């Protein structure tokens, strides 16, 4: 058995297609292991489908490496976070904890957004206040936001805790009070009269820019060193803030960009590797085992057993798979294990029919007749003498069946009937088409999952082609 496996691998790796397919498969296995180690098993429900996890990410921006092909420099996504203040000052009313963040702004455009968030605020007396300001490279200072932490509720005792489970987050770009402060800043510093309504969604152009004298209402990016200053004022020294975060939203992000809710598409695509392998391998292995076993039993036993297995196989093999998948997904629910079970149930009949025809030829061979004359049992003959002759063909068919299962699940997910709790490549494609990514040019949302599906199918096809010399020994002589 070991010698047969060693010879099979030797023949597989002796061809260029076999080597290429095995190399791709090993890469898929390594990426799948990384995805399972780096992410929790409930990645889909806990992270992927939780918008709050991705709230600080830019929305629908391309990968970072695309900036290489642009003449202008895009904004890098930057997150400043601190759990300890940079300095502490005592005042007549209590203490001030100061958090400072330095930003070297060298980009040719404004950020896509700015946001500020707090978490784990604890106080014992009066509610603390928090202010956010920004010092620009031209020396001008701009007050961005002021927050008074909510006071204790009726019956609430000290210490009072706020923002424990869900952080307080303000989207500065769209906040009306920020627009008012920025409009006042323009009036005071540049004598430019702009209403806060006109600045809605555009305040970042003012914060990180100066009025453009050549374009009415336009702003030029102001490059240089910025300093973000967050001051938290407390009356009791025991009061504290768990974390302070300031986000400068980039116009590019990560390896594969983001979708419309800010999800890191690279993480979703990577997590799709083990899902695709699980679907393909589980479905193909189980369907191949069932189909091979029933085909050998049917072909060797004959009689009523043969007729029953073949008629049942004919019925299942003539039922169209996609309509059944759609129907059962509606009836039984959109669960991944249901899809795998359906693919297994409707995947084995074709193998059974082919294996049965091969067994009918082998059954009349001298090896089987000699074993029967020596008194070998039916099960021993099927396992020890018939199956080994079928094994190369069975293995090749199993490899061919793997991409078919992956494509079937991807097609179902693309139609919106996949398991929503698990990110798959087909599901990412479906969400891209649903949100119009194709029509607005968000190619990074639809091309990578489609390419990965094709490459995965190609991987197993190459391995199957490399197995030709194992299945048909006559090809070895031809190639030699």
């Amino acid at each position: 058995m070991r010698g047969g496996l060693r010879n099979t691998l030797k023949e597989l790796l002796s061809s260029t297609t076999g080597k290429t397919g095995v190399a791709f498969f090993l890469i898929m296995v390594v990426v799948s292991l990384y995805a399972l180690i780096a992410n929790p098993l409930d990645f889909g429900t806990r992270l992927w489908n939780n918008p709050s996890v991705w709230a600080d990410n830019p929305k629908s921006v391309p990968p970072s490496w695309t900036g290489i092909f642009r003449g202008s420099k895009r904004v890098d996504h930057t997150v400043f976070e601190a759990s300890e203040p940079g300095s502490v000052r005592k005042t007549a009313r209590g203490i001030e904890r100061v958090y400072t963040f330095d930003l070297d702004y060298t980009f040719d455009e404004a950020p896509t957004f700015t946001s500020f968030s707090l978490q784990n605020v604890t106080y014992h007396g009066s509610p603390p206040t928090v202010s956010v300001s920004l010092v620009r490279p031209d020396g001008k200072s701009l007050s961005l936001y002021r927050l008074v932490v909510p006071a204790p509720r009726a019956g609430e005792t000290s210490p009072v805790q706020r923002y424990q489970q869900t952080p307080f987050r303000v989207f500065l770009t769209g906040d009306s009070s920020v627009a008012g402060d920025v409009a006042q800043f323009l009036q005071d510093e540049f004598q430019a009269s702009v209403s806060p309504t006109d600045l809605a969604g555009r305040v970042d152009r003012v914060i990180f820019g100066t009025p453009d004298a050549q374009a009415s209402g336009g702003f030029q990016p102001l490059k240089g060193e910025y300093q973000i200053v967050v001051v938290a004022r407390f009356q009791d020294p025991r009061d504290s803030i768990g974390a302070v975060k300031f986000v400068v939203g980039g116009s590019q992000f990560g390896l594969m960009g983001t979708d419309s809710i800010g999800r890191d598409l690279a993480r979703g695509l990577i997590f799709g590797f083990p899902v695709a392998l699980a679907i393909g391998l589980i479905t193909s292995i189980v369907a191949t085992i069932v189909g091979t076993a029933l085909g050998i039993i049917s072909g060797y036993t004959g009689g009523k057993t043969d007729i029953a297995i073949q008629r049942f196989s004919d019925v299942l093999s003539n039922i169209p798979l996609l309509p059944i998948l759609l129907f059962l997904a509606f009836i039984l629910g959109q669960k991944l294990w249901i899809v795998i079970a359906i693919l297994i149930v409707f995947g084995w009949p074709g193998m059974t029919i082919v294996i049965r025809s091969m067994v009918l030829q082998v059954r009349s061979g001298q090896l089987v007749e000699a074993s029967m004359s020596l008194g070998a049992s039916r099960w021993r003959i099927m396992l020890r003498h018939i199956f080994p002759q079928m094994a190369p063909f069975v293995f090749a068919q199993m490899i061919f069946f793997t991409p078919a299962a992956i494509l079937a699940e991807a097609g179902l997910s693309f139609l919106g009937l996949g398991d929503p709790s698990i990110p798959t490549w087909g599901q990412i494609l479906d969400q891209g088409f649903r949100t119009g990514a194709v029509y607005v040019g968000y190619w990074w949302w639809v091309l990578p999952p489609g390419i990965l599906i094709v490459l995965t199918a190609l991987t197993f096809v190459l391995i199957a082609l490399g197995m030709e010399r194992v299945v048909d020994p006559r090809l070895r002589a031809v190639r030699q």
Side-chain angles (χ1 to χ4, degrees):
M1 186 69 179
R2 292 181 180 177
L5 180 59
R6 189 181 299 111
N7 292 332
T8 299
L9 290 175
K10 183 179 179 181
E11 291 294 337
L12 176 62
L13 297 176
S14 64
S15 63
T16 303
T17 54
K19 291 177 182 177
T20 306
V22 171
F24 283 173
F25 179 74
L26 291 177
I27 292 173
M28 290 186 64
V29 171
V30 171
V31 175
S32 298
L33 291 175
Y34 168 77
L36 294 176
I37 294 172
N39 298 291
L41 293 179
D42 58 347
F43 171 78
T45 53
R46 191 202 300 183
L47 300 178
W48 186 254
N49 293 323
N50 185 0
S52 64
V53 174
W54 317 102
D56 291 327
N57 287 354
K59 313 298 186 285
S60 302
V61 297
S64 296
W65 51 266
T66 58
I68 301 174
F69 307 102
R70 284 186 50 134
S72 59
K73 189 174 182 181
R74 283 178 168 171
V75 181
D76 292 330
H77 186 68
T78 308
V79 179
F80 298 103
E81 188 170 8
S83 57
E84 296 294 334
S87 62
V88 179
R89 302 187 297 232
K90 291 186 178 181
T91 65
R93 295 185 177 182
I95 60 172
E96 292 181 348
R97 294 190 175 96
V98 183
Y99 305 82
T100 58
F101 308 109
D102 296 323
L103 172 64
D104 184 15
Y105 200 83
T106 60
F107 312 111
D108 297 325
E109 57 190 19
T112 54
F113 74 94
T114 51
S115 70
F116 170 72
S117 60
L118 289 175
Q119 194 167 11
N120 297 331
V121 177
T122 302
Y123 64 92
H124 296 76
S126 299
T129 61
V130 180
S131 63
V132 183
S133 60
L134 182 137
V135 180
R136 295 158 42 107
D138 55 8
K140 295 179 173 60
S141 180
L142 171 60
S143 177
L144 291 178
Y145 191 74
R146 292 171 296 277
L147 168 70
V148 178
V149 177
R153 293 181 287 269
E156 193 172 10
T157 59
S158 179
V160 179
Q161 294 182 332
R162 293 289 182 267
Y163 318 128
Q164 299 295 310
Q165 300 297 327
T166 303
F168 169 81
R169 181 180 287 105
V170 57
F171 187 62
L172 299 175
T173 303
D175 190 83
S176 58
S177 65
V178 176
D181 290 339
V182 171
Q184 187 63 45
F185 170 79
L186 282 175
Q187 179 66 41
D188 296 341
E189 299 292 343
F190 298 100
Q191 291 73 50
S193 180
V194 181
S195 69
T197 304
D198 294 335
L199 290 176
R202 302 173 59 227
V203 297
D204 296 312
R205 299 183 184 181
V206 180
I207 295 173
F208 295 93
T210 56
D212 190 349
Q214 298 180 354
S216 177
F219 297 89
Q220 291 182 338
L222 177 63
K223 300 180 181 181
E225 294 288 337
Y226 288 79
Q227 188 176 68
I228 298 109
V229 182
V230 179
V231 180
R233 299 176 176 86
F234 303 94
Q235 291 189 359
D236 194 312
R238 297 172 296 173
D239 297 351
S240 65
I241 291 178
V244 173
K245 183 186 292 186
F246 190 91
V247 179
V248 179
S251 53
Q252 57 188 13
F253 185 89
L255 186 63
M256 286 297 171
T258 62
D259 62 9
S260 58
I261 63 175
R263 290 183 295 198
D264 186 354
L265 289 174
R267 294 189 65 180
L269 293 171
I270 289 174
F271 196 82
F273 275 91
V275 176
L277 281 181
I279 294 169
L281 294 179
I282 292 174
T283 303
S284 62
I285 290 173
V286 176
T288 301
I289 291 174
V290 173
T292 302
L294 291 178
I296 293 176
I297 293 172
S298 176
Y300 183 75
T301 305
K304 294 182 179 179
T305 302
D306 180 28
I307 294 175
I309 293 175
Q310 290 306 304
R311 296 297 78 77
F312 188 56
S313 299
D314 291 338
V315 171
L316 288 180
S317 62
N318 283 284
I319 296 177
L321 179 59
L322 185 58
I324 289 295
L325 280 172
L326 296 175
F327 175 74
L328 294 180
F330 274 115
I331 300 300
L332 302 178
Q334 297 170 232
K335 297 295 182 182
L336 185 60
W337 67 268
I338 293 178
V339 175
I340 294 175
I342 296 171
L343 291 174
I344 291 173
V345 169
F346 290 92
W348 63 264
M351 175 69 76
T352 296
I353 295 171
V354 175
I355 291 294
R356 184 247 186 189
S357 64
M358 297 175 65
V359 172
L360 291 176
Q361 298 177 3
V362 175
R363 186 176 64 177
S364 59
Q366 295 180 354
L367 179 60
V368 174
E369 291 182 353
S371 300
M372 293 174 61
S373 64
L374 292 173
S377 65
R378 287 185 173 184
W379 291 108
R380 181 178 179 85
I381 293 173
M382 287 189 288
L383 290 175
R384 298 295 297 273
H385 302 298
I386 294 180
F387 174 70
Q389 299 183 60
M390 307 290 111
F393 173 80
V394 169
F395 186 64
Q397 288 300 113
M398 181 181 70
I399 295 172
F400 266 122
F401 190 71
T402 302
I406 295 173
L407 291 172
E409 189 282 330
L412 197 64
S413 295
F414 180 74
L415 295 174
L417 295 174
D419 191 338
S421 65
I422 301 175
T424 64
W425 298 330
Q427 186 185 113
I428 295 174
L429 266 177
D430 170 60
Q431 291 167 349
F433 274 85
R434 283 175 180 268
T435 54
V438 176
Y439 309 107
V440 295
Y442 297 159
W443 57 265
W444 59 89
W445 195 347
V446 293
L447 282 183
I451 292 173
L452 287 175
I453 292 172
V454 173
L455 286 178
T456 301
L458 180 63
T459 296
F460 290 98
V461 170
L462 290 175
I463 295 175
L465 291 175
M467 288 289 295
E468 283 184 336
R469 297 173 69 176
V470 179
V471 177
D472 190 354
R474 292 174 297 180
L475 295 175
R476 304 176 198 172
V478 172
R479 295 184 182 182
Q480 288 174 355

